């Protein structure tokens, strides 16, 4: 069964799907979007979206700043963990290298694991 939609029907269907996706963010204006697209056309809808995008942009900026602050707080907490202290990390790197030597080939341990651990230890301390 094939549906033949004209250009206006495709635009209206696309706008309805976009409104359903964006409804949690623009809930008070969802019905207005559909009415504007139907009666006034796509140009009026775009003007309406640009007029109300300033408040949405402010909300997005607040959420991004909250996300950045939570990421920096998490990174600070992780950096203060006992495992990242130089003497603990050196012991852990040594034991991990010895285990890698016994668990896999010596070539793999020397070529892959040891340089990564040494470089990581330089950056942390």
């Amino acid at each position: 069964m094939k549906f033949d939609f004209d250009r206006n029907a495709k635009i209206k269907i696309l706008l309805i799907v976009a409104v359903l996706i964006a409804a949690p963010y623009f809930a008070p204006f969802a019905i207005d979007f559909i009415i504007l697209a139907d009666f006034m056309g796509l140009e009026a809808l775009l003007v309406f979206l640009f007029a109300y995008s300033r408040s949405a942009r402010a909300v997005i900026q607040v959420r991004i700043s909250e996300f950045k602050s939570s990421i920096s707080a998490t990174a600070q907490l992780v950096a203060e963990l006992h495992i990242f202290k130089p003497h603990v990390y050196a012991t852990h790197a040594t034991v991990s290298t010895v285990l890698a030597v016994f668990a896999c080939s010596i070539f793999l341990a020397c070529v892959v694991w040891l340089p990564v651990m040494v470089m990581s230890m330089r950056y942390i301390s």
Side-chain angles (χ1 to χ4, degrees), residues 84-118:
F84 293 115
K85 304 293 185 219
H87 66 282
V88 175
Y89 188 78
T91 306
H92 179 69
T94 306
V95 171
S96 297
T97 304
V98 170
L99 286 176
V101 167
F102 288 122
C104 61
S105 70
I106 295 174
F107 177 75
L108 179 67
C110 291
V111 170
V112 176
W113 291 107
L114 192 59
V116 171
M117 289 184 195
V118 169

Side-chain angles (χ1 to χ4, degrees), residues 15-90:
L15 287 173
I16 289 172
V17 169
V19 165
L20 290 176
I21 291 172
Y25 303 105
F26 301 107
F29 309 111
I31 301 297
D32 297 339
F33 287 164
I34 296 172
I35 292 172
L36 280 173
D38 194 26
F39 292 123
M40 296 181 166
L42 187 60
E43 294 84 10
L45 176 66
L46 291 176
V47 169
F48 187 69
L49 284 174
F50 286 131
Y52 287 104
S53 66
R54 184 172 292 178
S55 63
R57 191 175 70 211
V59 170
I60 290 171
Q61 286 176 345
V62 167
R63 287 186 182 176
I64 288 174
S65 66
E66 288 175 359
F67 179 73
K68 285 180 181 178
S69 66
S70 66
I71 289 294
S72 65
T74 303
Q76 186 177 6
L77 287 175
V78 167
E80 293 174 358
L81 288 175
H82 188 67
I83 190 79
F84 293 115
K85 304 293 185 219
H87 66 282
V88 175
Y89 188 78

